[in-house]
C-alpha cells in the first residue's frame, strides 16, 4: 500500500512548499497593484487592460507551441546521453523561428490598419514574447535541476518588477493602460536577459534537427489542450466584451483574481508534480498506485482550500475595489470549483503522457473548451457574468471526464471521490442559477 510517506520520500511535499511559497508571494504581489489600478483607472479601464492581457496570453500559447513541455519530457533522457545542451539550443531555435513569424504577422496586420483590436495595446506583449519564452524555459531548467531557491528568487523578483514598474508608471508617469503594458514589457526584457545569462553555461550552440523534430512531435499535440484550457478559462471574457460591457469584464476579472488564489495550491502542486511524475513514469513500479493516491489527496486538500478562499473572498473583493454582492460571491464560488477541476486534469492526464499520446488530452481539453464557449454563449445574456463562470466549471468537468475515460494507461483512481466531487460541482451550478433567477 502506498501512503503519503512514499510521496514525501521523493521530495514532492518539500518541493511543493518551495514552489508554493513562490506562488503565494507571486499571486499576492498582484493584489498590491490591482486596488491601485481599479481606483486610478476605474473598473471599466481595468476591464480593457485585462482583455488585452488575455489576448496576449492566447498569442503566447500559440507561438510558444508548448516547447517547454517537450523540453521537460526529454531532459533527463538527453542529460543521461550528455545531450541536454543540444536539447536547450534546439528548443531556443524553435523559439527564434516562431518569434520571427509572429513579428511578420503582427507587422502585416498593423500596416493594413486592422481595426478589430487596438494593436498598440498588443505591441508590448507581442514584442516581448521571445524574452518571456527564455524566462519560462529557464524556470523549467531550474525545476528539473532541483534548484528550488534560485527558482524562487527569479520568480519573486520578476513579479516584484512587474508590479513596481506598473504602479510607478500609473502613479508618477501617466495613468494609462499603455503604462502598465509597457511595465510588463520592461520586466520581461530584463528577466529574459537574466535567464539567458543563467542558461548560457548550458548553451552549446549545437542544435539537432532530430531533437527539434522530437520536441515538435511531443509538444505540438499538447497545444490544442492548452488552447482548450484557455477557452474554458478565458472565453467568457471575450463574450462579456461582445455582449455586455468592459465594466462587467472588470468585475468578472476581479472575481477571477480572487478565485485564482486557489491557483496558489494548484501551482504549488503542479510545479513539483510535473518533474516528479516524469521521473516516476520511468523509474517506479508503483507509479500507478502513487498517481491514484495523489488524486485522492488533491481532491481532499483542494476542497478545503476552496472553502477557505470562499470564506475570505468578501474582504478580498472590497480590497480589490468592488462590492461583494451576492452575484459576485456566487461567481467566485463557481470559479473556485472550476479551478479545482482544472487542477485534477493535470493529474489524470498523466496516463496519456505516459503513453506519449498527448494528442488525446489535447482533443479532450479542446472539446471541453468548445463546450464552455457554447454554454457560456447561450446563457450569458440571461445570467451575465455568472453564466460565464458556470461555463468555465462545466467545461472543466467535461474535459476531466473525457481525459479520464480516454486514458491509454489505465490507473485505478478512487471512483467514489470523483463521483462525489462531480455531484458537488453540478449542485453548485444548479443552485447558483436558481438563486439568481429567484432573486432577480
Amino acid at each position: 500500500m502506498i501512503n503519503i510517506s512514499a510521496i514525501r520520500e521523493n521530495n514532492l511535499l518539500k518541493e511543493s512548499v518551495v514552489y508554493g511559497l513562490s506562488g503565494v508571494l507571486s499571486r499576492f504581489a498582484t493584489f498590491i497593484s490591482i486596488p491601485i489600478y481599479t481606483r486610478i483607472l476605474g473598473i471599466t479601464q481595468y476591464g480593457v487592460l485585462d482583455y488585452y492581457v488575455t489576448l496576449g496570453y492566447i498569442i503566447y500559447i500559440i507561438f510558444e507551441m508548448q516547447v517547454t513541455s517537450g523540453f521537460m519530457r526529454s531532459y533527463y533522457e538527453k542529460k543521461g546521453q550528455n545531450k541536454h545542451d543540444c536539447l536547450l539550443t534546439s528548443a531556443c531555435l524553435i523559439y527564434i523561428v516562431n518569434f520571427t513569424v509572429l513579428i511578420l504577422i503582427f507587422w502585416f496586420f498593423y500596416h493594413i490598419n486592422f481595426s478589430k483590436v487596438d494593436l498598440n495595446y498588443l505591441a508590448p506583449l507581442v514584442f516581448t514574447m521571445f524574452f518571456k519564452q527564455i524566462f519560462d524555459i529557464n524556470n523549467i531548467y531550474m525545476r528539473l535541476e532541483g534548484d528550488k531557491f534560485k527558482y524562487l528568487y527569479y520568480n519573486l523578483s520578476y513579479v516584484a518588477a512587474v508590479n513596481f514598474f506598473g504602479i510607478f508608471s500609473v502613479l508618477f508617469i501617466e495613468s494609462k493602460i499603455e503604462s502598465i503594458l509597457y511595465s510588463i514589457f520592461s520586466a520581461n526584457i530584463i528577466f529574459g536577459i537574466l535567464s539567458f545569462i543563467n542558461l548560457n553555461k548550458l548553451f552549446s550552440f549545437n542544435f539537432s534537427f532530430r531533437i527539434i523534430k522530437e520536441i515538435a512531435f511531443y509538444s505540438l499535440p499538447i497545444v490544442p489542450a492548452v488552447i482548450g484550457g484557455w477557452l474554458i478559462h478565458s472565453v467568457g471574457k471575450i463574450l462579456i466584451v461582445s455582449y455586455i460591457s468592459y465594466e462587467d469584464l472588470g468585475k468578472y476579472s476581479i472575481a477571477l483574481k480572487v478565485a485564482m488564489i486557489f491557483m496558489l495550491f494548484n501551482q504549488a502542486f503542479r510545479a513539483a508534480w510535473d518533474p516528479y511524475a516524469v521521473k516516476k513514469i520511468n523509474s517506479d513500479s508503483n507509479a500507478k498506485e502513487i498517481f491514484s493516491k495523489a488524486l485522492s489527496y488533491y481532491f481532499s486538500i483542494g476542497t478545503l482550500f476552496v472553502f477557505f478562499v470562499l470564506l475570505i473572498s468578501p474582504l478580498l473583493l472590497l480590497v480589490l475595489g468592488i462590492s461583494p454582492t451576492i452575484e459576485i460571491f456566487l461567481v467566485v464560488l463557481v470559479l473556485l470549483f472550476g479551478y479545482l477541476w482544472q487542477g485534477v486534469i493535470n493529474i489524470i492526464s498523466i496516463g496519456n503522457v505516459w503513453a506519449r499520446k498527448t494528442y488525446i488530452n489535447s482533443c479532450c481539453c479542446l472539446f471541453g473548451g468548445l463546450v464552455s464557449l457554447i454554454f457560456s454563449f447561450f446563457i450569458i445574456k440571461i445570467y451575465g457574468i455568472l453564466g460565464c463562470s458556470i461555463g468555465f466549471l462545466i467545461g472543466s468537468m467535461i474535459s476531466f471526464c473525457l481525459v479520464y475515460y480516454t486514458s491509454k494507461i489505465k490507473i485505478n483512481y478512487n471512483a467514489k471521490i470523483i463521483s462525489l466531487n462531480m455531484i458537488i460541482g453540478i449542485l453548485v451550478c444548479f443552485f447558483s442559477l436558481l438563486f439568481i433567477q429567484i432573486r432577480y
Side-chain angles (χ1 to χ4, degrees):
M1 179 178 180
I2 301 297
N3 53 39
I4 198 168
S5 63
I7 298 176
R8 187 187 297 115
E9 290 172 2
N10 288 278
N11 291 322
L12 180 60
L13 295 181
K14 179 181 177 181
E15 293 185 5
S16 293
V17 170
V18 174
Y19 294 126
L21 178 61
S22 173
V24 167
L25 296 179
S26 298
R27 296 293 182 181
F28 274 99
T30 63
F31 276 69
I32 298 172
S33 58
I34 293 173
I36 296 174
Y37 295 160
T38 54
R39 285 166 173 80
I40 293 179
L41 300 177
I43 297 295
T44 300
Q45 286 296 96
Y46 179 75
V48 175
L49 170 65
D50 194 70
Y51 176 70
Y52 280 95
V53 170
T54 300
L55 292 181
Y57 182 61
I58 186 59
I59 293 173
Y60 180 82
I61 288 173
I62 294 171
F63 286 90
E64 199 276 332
M65 284 174 43
Q66 287 301 293
V67 169
T68 51
S69 296
F71 177 80
M72 176 182 289
R73 183 66 179 87
S74 298
Y75 183 78
Y76 293 118
E77 176 186 337
K78 299 306 177 189
K79 186 176 182 181
Q81 301 170 359
N82 201 29
K83 293 182 179 179
H84 51 313
D85 55 346
C86 186
L87 176 68
L88 176 61
T89 308
S90 299
C92 289
L93 182 61
I94 297 175
Y95 282 152
I96 292 171
V97 172
N98 290 353
F99 183 63
T100 302
V101 172
L102 173 61
I103 295 301
L104 291 174
I105 293 173
F106 185 84
W107 178 86
F108 171 77
F109 280 106
Y110 193 85
H111 283 275
I112 64 170
N113 295 317
F114 185 73
S115 59
K116 298 297 182 180
V117 296
D118 191 334
L119 295 179
N120 291 313
Y121 285 154
L122 277 181
L125 300 175
V126 167
F127 285 99
T128 192
M129 200 75 69
F130 176 72
F131 297 92
K132 180 68 168 65
Q133 290 168 340
I134 296 298
F135 177 72
D136 286 347
I137 205 164
N138 182 50
N139 278 339
I140 296 295
Y141 170 69
M142 290 186 292
R143 282 166 54 187
L144 292 170
E145 286 294 324
D147 202 346
K148 296 179 284 293
F149 294 103
K150 184 180 282 189
Y151 174 92
L152 187 69
Y153 170 76
Y154 266 78
N155 283 275
L156 296 188
S157 300
Y158 170 76
V159 173
V162 170
N163 281 272
F164 174 78
F165 293 158
I167 293 171
F168 183 86
S169 297
V170 296
L171 288 179
F172 301 108
I173 299 178
E174 194 170 15
S175 300
K176 295 175 65 177
I177 294 172
E178 292 96 323
S179 300
I180 301 172
L181 293 173
Y182 276 101
S183 72
I184 298 173
F185 172 86
S186 301
N188 283 332
I189 295 292
I190 293 170
F191 281 86
I193 293 172
L194 291 175
S195 295
F196 178 81
I197 293 172
N198 185 56
L199 290 169
N200 187 49
K201 59 182 178 293
L202 190 62
F203 273 109
S204 65
F205 299 99
N206 175 32
F207 66 91
S208 164
F209 285 112
R210 186 184 65 80
I211 292 180
I212 290 174
K213 181 179 178 181
E214 181 180 316
I215 294 172
F217 273 41
Y218 181 84
S219 300
L220 284 175
I222 302 176
V223 175
V226 182
I227 293 175
W230 179 88
L231 280 172
I232 294 171
H233 180 269
S234 300
V235 72
K237 296 181 181 181
I238 310 299
L239 293 175
I240 290 170
V241 170
S242 301
Y243 294 102
I244 312 180
S245 67
Y246 277 114
E247 181 179 0
D248 284 288
L249 175 58
K251 294 177 181 178
Y252 181 78
S253 297
I254 292 174
L256 198 62
K257 293 295 187 296
V258 172
M260 282 180 69
I261 295 177
F262 181 83
M263 296 300 286
L264 307 179
F265 166 74
N266 197 26
Q267 178 180 330
F269 182 85
R270 185 174 185 182
W273 173 257
D274 286 346
Y276 171 82
V278 169
K279 287 181 181 179
K280 286 295 164 190
I281 286 174
N282 297 316
S283 64
D284 198 320
S285 59
N286 291 321
K288 289 185 179 181
E289 197 170 350
I290 292 174
F291 296 157
S292 176
K293 289 290 183 181
L295 182 72
S296 300
Y297 291 134
Y298 181 92
F299 262 130
S300 300
I301 300 172
T303 302
L304 290 175
F305 201 87
V306 163
F307 286 106
F308 167 73
V309 177
L310 194 65
L311 184 65
I312 63 174
S313 63
L315 175 61
L316 293 175
L317 289 168
L318 283 172
V319 169
L320 295 178
I322 61 173
S323 300
T325 62
I326 294 295
E327 182 184 19
I328 297 295
F329 182 78
L330 290 175
V331 169
V332 172
L333 170 65
V334 175
L335 289 173
L336 281 168
F337 276 98
Y339 279 123
L340 176 68
W341 283 96
Q342 285 279 291
V344 176
I345 294 171
N346 293 334
I347 298 176
I348 62 155
S349 63
I350 196 65
N352 288 323
V353 170
W354 194 339
R356 292 185 179 268
K357 302 290 185 181
T358 52
Y359 67 89
I360 297 177
N361 293 337
S362 293
C363 292
C364 295
C365 291
L366 187 58
F367 184 82
L370 293 175
V371 169
S372 179
L373 169 62
I374 295 169
F375 191 91
S376 300
F377 175 78
F378 281 107
I379 69 171
I380 187 173
K381 296 179 182 178
I382 304 173
Y383 295 103
I385 59 177
L386 178 61
C388 291
S389 63
I390 290 176
F392 171 49
L393 174 54
I394 295 297
S396 299
M397 292 170 67
I398 292 294
S399 295
F400 169 86
C401 291
L402 291 173
V403 174
Y404 179 79
Y405 285 108
T406 59
S407 179
K408 291 298 181 183
I409 302 293
K410 298 301 179 182
I411 299 172
N412 188 27
Y413 296 113
N414 191 320
K416 291 182 180 179
I417 290 180
I418 294 173
S419 299
L420 176 62
N421 281 274
M422 188 72 69
I423 292 170
I424 292 173
I426 293 171
L427 290 177
V428 165
C429 292
F430 175 77
F431 284 110
S432 296
L433 291 176
L434 182 64
F435 184 88
I436 290 296
Q437 190 166 15
I438 291 174
R439 184 176 178 86
Y440 297 103

